[in-house]
Amino acid sequence: MTLEESFYIGYITKTKGLKGEVQVYFEFDDYEDLELDSVFIEINKKLIPFFSASYKLHSNSTGYFYFEDIDVIEKAEKLLKKKLYLPLSKKPERSDDEFYYTDLKGYIAHDEKLGELGEIMEVHEYPQQFIAVVSYKFREIMFPLNDDMIVSIDEEESNLHVRLPDGLLDVYLA
């Protein structure tokens, strides 16, 4: 399994108890729809399969997992901050009319005043909002993705038109 054949779902945040239980924070929107009998954990840039002995999902984008052969806290601690992936074949189907901010990765961002900003390299999800990361004039800039900023989205041309607040780019370019 390679990163290209998989999709990112979250990471291990902490241990719980002494018997190897770990907490997973999901960054995948519809984590309740995922098949989690086995996951791949990125260790030393390789995806290693782990089989779930049991797990319980919570409504706050977290879940608690026991993995087979991880039966003491010392083994679980080695998994902290590791990223979790699933094969692309296990990615839930979406209807054609569903669109998420994370779908904007790869789109070209255009500002009303400044023109083309560049390609959206990443879309980060934070508790209050989504943030686009764009390489502009050889600098990494970030701006929020919300109804106040977005003017239009052209799915056919993969373009995002935004209205950035005055001075936002000055923070990055100064």
Side-chain angles (χ1 to χ4, degrees):
M1 176 70 57
T2 64
L3 286 174
E4 292 77 30
E5 300 168 326
S6 61
F7 66 101
Y8 173 70
I9 60 169
Y11 61 95
I12 296 174
T13 56
K14 62 184 179 181
T15 60
K16 181 181 177 192
L18 301 174
K19 296 184 179 179
E21 188 175 19
V22 294
Q23 181 187 58
V24 171
Y25 178 76
F26 291 100
E27 294 190 299
F28 187 81
D29 288 334
D30 300 322
Y31 65 95
E32 303 94 348
D33 298 336
L34 298 174
E35 188 181 314
L36 298 167
D37 297 335
S38 64
V39 297
F40 288 85
I41 299 178
E42 185 179 12
I43 299 173
N44 297 327
K45 300 191 190 280
K46 292 184 179 160
L47 294 181
I48 311 298
F50 280 78
F51 299 94
S52 304
S54 68
Y55 63 89
K56 183 174 182 167
L57 301 179
H58 296 276
S59 60
N60 62 349
S61 297
T62 62
Y64 285 95
F65 284 73
Y66 283 106
F67 293 114
E68 290 180 10
D69 300 325
I70 305 295
D71 51 6
V72 292
I73 191 171
E74 290 80 11
K75 290 180 181 178
E77 286 173 337
K78 293 177 182 175
L79 301 177
L80 290 177
K81 306 291 183 236
K82 301 289 189 221
K83 295 180 179 180
L84 275 67
Y85 295 85
L86 284 176
L88 286 173
S89 60
K90 290 188 173 187
K91 194 168 190 175
E93 296 276 327
R94 294 194 319 204
S95 66
D96 291 340
D97 60 343
E98 288 184 278
F99 190 86
Y100 297 110
Y101 284 132
T102 52
D103 295 336
L104 293 171
K105 185 175 176 180
Y107 277 49
I108 304 298
H110 299 267
D111 180 65
E112 284 186 327
K113 293 180 184 172
L114 300 169
E116 184 175 316
L117 299 174
E119 181 180 343
I120 298 174
M121 301 179 305
E122 290 292 330
V123 176
H124 297 295
E125 179 180 359
Y126 295 102
Q128 286 80 25
Q129 64 189 348
F130 287 85
I131 302 287
V133 179
V134 174
S135 179
Y136 177 70
K137 293 188 177 181
F138 306 105
R139 299 263 173 106
E140 191 174 270
I141 63 166
M142 299 165 73
F143 57 86
L145 295 170
N146 58 43
D147 293 339
D148 296 333
M149 300 273 184
I150 296 175
V151 176
S152 66
I153 299 172
D154 182 348
E155 291 183 60
E156 286 185 18
E157 297 291 324
S158 297
N159 286 321
L160 170 70
H161 297 274
V162 294
R163 184 181 306 117
L164 297 180
D166 291 335
L168 177 68
L169 293 186
D170 297 340
V171 172
Y172 294 101
L173 301 176

